Structures are given as C-alpha cells and as structure tokens.
Amino acid sequence: MQILVQHFQCWCYSYPTSTCLTTKVTSVLTHFIKSEDCSVCETDFPKVKEITDKNNYLAYYIQADEMAEAVGQLNLYTAPVVILFYNGKEIHRQARIIDFLELDYRIKQTL
C-alpha cells in the first residue's frame, strides 16, 4: 500500500481534477482514508494493508485532514473509509466499521 500522501498528490495532479481520484493505469484501485487522532483508523490500517498486499492490489492511503480535495471529491463524512474502484467506478465502500472478510471478498472479485 502506498502510504505517502505526497505520492498520491503527485499521481493525482497528473490527471484532470474531476477524474484524478478514480483513474489510473490499471483497472483496480483501493483508497484507505483516515483522519488524525483516529484510533480506529490506526487499528484498521495494518489490516487493510495486509489484505491489499496479500492480493497484490494497488492501494493508496489518504490523510483526510491534509487532502481537502479528496474529501470533497469522494464525499467523505467519517473515517476510516475504504473505497474500491474498478475501471474508474466505485464498486464498494465501507465506513467506520470495516468488515475485513467482505473487503477481501470484494477485492478478489475484481482480480
């Protein structure tokens, strides 16, 4: 999982603003969004990273407090949030309480 917000920003700015958060070179993508001082986010992050790494799935970590543009474009109202994209379209979203078995299942469906 790419955990540097700066890497995400560089990737994002190479595309038009309206599509930068959902378009990429390959067809599948995961975003893990967390906020500062969120204990649930800190607990869930390693588990989500393990699932994405195990499935060799492209994933980005977004610090919501530092990426206001992402919060607006992705309609984020809470944290943590995991969003799966397939061919540029959102196919799955989980917020606050993340079901890791469901997340793993959804990722495997796209592979």
Side-chain angles (χ1 to χ4, degrees), residues 22-85:
T22 59
T23 306
K24 53 180 201 4
V25 176
T26 57
S27 62
V28 291
L29 176 68
T30 303
H31 293 324
F32 179 82
I33 298 93
K34 63 181 263 184
S35 61
E36 193 172 327
D37 299 326
C38 171
S39 61
V40 176
C41 300
E42 297 300 326
T43 303
D44 287 353
F45 178 72
K47 295 174 186 175
V48 172
K49 183 178 183 324
E50 179 183 330
I51 291 170
T52 57
D53 289 348
K54 175 180 75 173
N55 291 297
N56 198 26
Y57 202 84
L58 181 61
Y60 287 95
Y61 151 81
I62 302 171
Q63 182 70 36
D65 307 329
E66 298 175 16
M67 290 282 298
E69 181 181 1
V71 171
Q73 285 187 23
L74 297 172
N75 296 319
L76 305 173
Y77 301 106
T78 188
V81 179
V82 176
I83 306 173
L84 302 181
F85 290 93

Side-chain angles (χ1 to χ4, degrees), residues 88-106:
K89 295 181 182 175
E90 182 178 324
I91 61 165
H92 183 70
R93 179 185 291 236
Q94 291 187 41
R96 287 194 187 189
I97 300 171
I98 297 173
D99 181 345
F100 301 106
L101 293 174
E102 176 74 13
L103 178 63
D104 191 40
Y105 173 75
R106 295 294 179 173

